[in-house]
């Protein structure tokens, strides 16, 4: 499942996505709040959009909830199937593409997924505040869509920018948001054979 993604969204592209979502953001927000990274892996910090009053704000959070018990791994993907998130702390992970891997030998084949018609995408997520006060997030998953099914048996819940506000404030039914996108929506590239 998705444990690696990239963030190459330019700040102007992010601002256009926020406008498409009809969200207001703090006037103090700046390009440094959206750091670039080739790979954001479990335990790394990544930019996340969360509700703030009637608008939204970018916050850096750690990828992966703390382990639920000693010696367990962090929770970095969370199944959305059959669940409701109206009482949850919802967020949108801002990114330009995510990776899935195939093969059994290291290094595995690395596949990059991005939206065909947009340089920016979001992944529906949940965030939490840990016991020490730090913030972390996990990505929601669903059944694979036609663009991902040949490579993986699950996929993250990809959100187009115009759906970001709908997820943050649940102004559309969850079933309409947490589902695979239609065939041809995602560009698939093998970046490491």
């Amino acid at each position: 499942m998705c444990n690696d993604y990239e963030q190459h969204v330019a700040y102007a592209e992010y601002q256009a996505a926020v406008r498409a979502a009809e969200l207001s953001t703090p006037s103090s927000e700046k390009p440094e709040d959206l750091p670039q990274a080739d790979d954001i892996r479990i335990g790394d910090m990544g930019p996340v959009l969360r509700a703030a009053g009637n608008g939204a704000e970018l916050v850096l959070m750690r990828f992966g909830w703390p382990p639920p018990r000693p010696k367990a791994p962090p929770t970095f993907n969370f199944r959305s199937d059959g669940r409701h998130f109206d009482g949850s702390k919802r967020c949108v992970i801002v990114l330009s593409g995510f990776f899935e891997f195939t093969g059994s030998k290291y290094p595995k084949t690395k596949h990059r997924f991005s939206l065909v018609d947009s340089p920016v995408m979001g992944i529906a997520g949940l965030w939490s505040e840990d016991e020490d006060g730090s913030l972390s997030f996990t990505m929601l998953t669903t059944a694979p869509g036609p663009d991902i099914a040949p490579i993986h048996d699950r996929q993250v819940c990809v959100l187009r920018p115009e759906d970001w506000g709908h997820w943050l404030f649940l102004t559309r039914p969850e079933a309409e948001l947490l589902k695979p996108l239609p065939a041809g929506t995602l560009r698939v590239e093998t970046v490491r054979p």
Side-chain angles (χ1 to χ4, degrees):
M1 226 25 266
C2 183
N3 60 10
D4 184 8
Y5 67 97
E6 68 177 25
Q7 199 313 91
H8 290 288
V9 176
Y11 190 67
E13 294 167 337
Y14 159 76
Q15 288 179 311
V18 166
R19 284 191 301 274
E22 299 179 355
L23 292 169
S24 62
T25 56
S27 58
S28 59
E29 201 172 80
K30 54 194 178 305
E32 294 78 22
D33 296 327
L34 189 71
Q36 305 276 308
D38 291 336
D39 292 281
I40 298 176
R41 296 182 180 96
I42 300 164
D44 293 342
M45 300 297 282
V48 173
L49 194 64
R50 68 176 180 181
N54 292 328
E57 65 181 351
L58 265 179
V59 181
L60 283 178
M61 297 186 189
R62 186 180 62 251
F63 181 16
W65 285 345
R69 61 193 172 287
K71 298 187 181 181
T75 302
F76 60 96
N77 289 154
F78 192 84
R79 284 181 175 257
S80 68
D81 315 60
R83 293 186 163 132
H84 295 285
F85 300 99
D86 52 331
S88 301
K89 295 177 182 175
R90 294 173 304 283
C91 64
V92 175
I93 298 101
V94 179
L95 65 152
S96 51
F98 64 91
F99 304 106
E100 293 293 353
F101 298 84
T102 57
S104 57
K105 293 184 179 181
Y106 184 84
K108 293 183 177 184
T109 301
K110 186 176 185 178
H111 307 278
R112 179 182 183 269
F113 296 86
S114 59
L115 285 173
V116 168
D117 59 357
S118 176
V120 57
M121 71 166 74
I123 293 175
L126 303 173
W127 68 276
S128 68
E129 186 168 355
D130 306 336
E131 290 179 10
D132 64 1
S134 61
L135 304 175
S136 59
F137 69 89
T138 187
M139 298 176 173
L140 294 182
T141 68
T142 188
D147 295 333
I148 294 178
I151 294 172
H152 207 285
D153 62 352
R154 297 285 297 165
Q155 76 163 71
V156 289
C157 297
V158 176
L159 298 172
R160 294 174 156 289
E162 58 269 22
D163 288 328
W164 292 4
H166 295 302
W167 170 244
L168 292 177
F169 295 99
L170 285 185
T171 53
R172 282 182 52 203
E174 293 162 278
E176 291 179 16
L177 300 168
L178 305 177
K179 65 179 187 178
L181 298 173
T185 305
L186 294 170
R187 179 181 298 111
V188 185
E189 309 167 75
T190 299
V191 293
R192 184 180 64 215

